Amino acid sequence: MQQNAAMAFDTTFPLSDGNAIPQLGLGVWQAESGQETSDAVRWALEAGYRHIDTAQAYGNEESVGAGIRESGVPRDEIFITTKFFPRNEDPAAELEKSLRRLGVDHVDLYIIHWPAGGPTWAWPGMERAADRGHTHSIGVSNFSVDELAAVLREGERQPVVDQVQFNPFAYRRRLLDACMENKVVLEAYSPLGTGSHLGDATVAQIAETHGKTPAQVLIRWGIQHGVPQIPKSTHKERIVENAQVFDFELSEDDMLALNGLDETGGTGEARGDKWWS
Ligand code: A2P
């Protein structure tokens, strides 16, 4: 399988509402507001990324907006995600504030950051935000199989993604299966285990056989599972490295070996630690 780099950034997974999400994006969780974030966003866009993932809770939406403007890449070429901070009350009103901070008139995806206070109360406000045209798609994050089912049952619109911590060590197979059955795209945050899985021996050995880096193997594993990836980095060379994942393919044996690293027992839960409850 050979694809050139330009094609890679165009590669998307379809969403159930008719939109599509780029398979690879830049995550900016734990990127400091200010130059650190705006540089990372600009470097990513200059390198060809067309998908940036931020959140109200990260406190760096202004810097994401600045990086986008500094890059000169047209807004309509970029898929922007932000997340509702669920300690607030009104998702639609909070999205309007996000749009002002980002300096855009809509985002592409708006998701509930975690199911604080239960899975369904915020959903009507998410639908309102979409009805107003302030977001093209709506979804959730850190929702388990049961929490996702509650939204699917009660919502008028269906969530199109569930963004969760997902990598070979957190291979939440029951959650992935439930998402697929319900046409919800499971999206991965912490695809590198916030960096902690880069030194694993199995990952390193597979990387060596492909002439790739551990980060590229971890990201590629998720893409081959049909899961969009948003690795975070604030280093230009790593941002570029993390995107070079469309010019090789992991074998079935590689995939099985990586699947076998799971430490969650194939859970349907989104988190081991529910910090919000
Ligand atoms: P930094 O931002 O200093 O480059 P995750 O995406 O799983 O949350 O992982 C992010 C962590 O992994 C950050 O600490 C980031 O550091 C680091 N990281 C991201 N890409 C790479 C890479 N290609 N090589 C080494 N470390 C990386």
Side-chain angles (χ1 to χ4, degrees), residues 138-259:
I138 50 176
V140 297
S141 178
N142 293 303
F143 277 45
S144 68
V145 170
D146 291 347
E147 288 157 345
L148 190 59
V151 181
L152 288 162
R153 208 166 41 237
E154 291 182 29
E156 282 178 24
R157 291 179 187 241
Q158 304 286 278
V160 297
V161 308
D162 187 3
Q163 186 186 110
V164 300
Q165 179 201 50
F166 188 85
N167 57 56
F169 300 80
Y171 177 33
R172 305 174 186 281
R173 201 178 36 73
R174 277 189 284 279
L175 184 54
L176 180 62
D177 289 348
C179 283
M180 284 174 146
E181 276 160 31
N182 290 290
K183 298 191 168 41
V184 174
V185 169
L186 186 147
E187 185 184 6
Y189 70 76
S190 300
L192 314 176
T194 59
S196 66
H197 301 324
L198 294 168
D200 177 80
T202 304
V203 176
Q205 187 262 320
I206 293 172
E208 207 183 318
T209 62
H210 289 278
K212 286 289 182 176
T213 66
Q216 290 165 338
V217 165
L218 290 167
I219 294 165
R220 182 71 211 172
W221 174 86
I223 287 175
Q224 286 186 215
H225 273 295
V227 171
Q229 306 284 301
I230 49 165
K232 174 263 177 184
S233 179
T234 50
H235 290 87
K236 191 175 186 176
E237 67 285 0
R238 291 177 176 171
I239 290 170
V240 170
E241 173 189 326
N242 293 347
Q244 289 164 355
V245 292
F246 295 94
D247 56 356
F248 77 114
E249 192 157 19
L250 297 170
S251 69
E252 213 175 310
D253 284 349
D254 295 334
M255 291 298 285
L256 288 173
L258 292 164
N259 293 350

Side-chain angles (χ1 to χ4, degrees), residues 44-111:
L45 293 168
E46 285 170 358
Y49 286 64
R50 290 295 180 267
H51 174 186
I52 310 290
D53 182 286
T54 184
Q56 292 161 357
Y58 302 167
N60 58 18
E61 288 173 313
E62 276 107 343
S63 311
V64 168
I68 289 172
R69 286 188 297 280
E70 286 163 16
S71 76
V73 174
R75 162 68 187 99
D76 63 5
E77 288 184 17
I78 308 169
F79 187 100
I80 304 174
T81 299
T82 196
K83 312 187 189 80
F84 171 54
F85 179 60
R87 303 271 180 232
N88 287 323
E89 283 177 11
D90 182 351
E94 295 305 321
L95 181 55
E96 291 188 22
K97 295 182 201 166
S98 283
L99 296 182
R100 281 197 288 277
R101 287 189 290 263
L102 287 159
V104 297
D105 65 3
H106 72 279
V107 292
D108 297 273
L109 176 63
Y110 188 40
I111 58 190

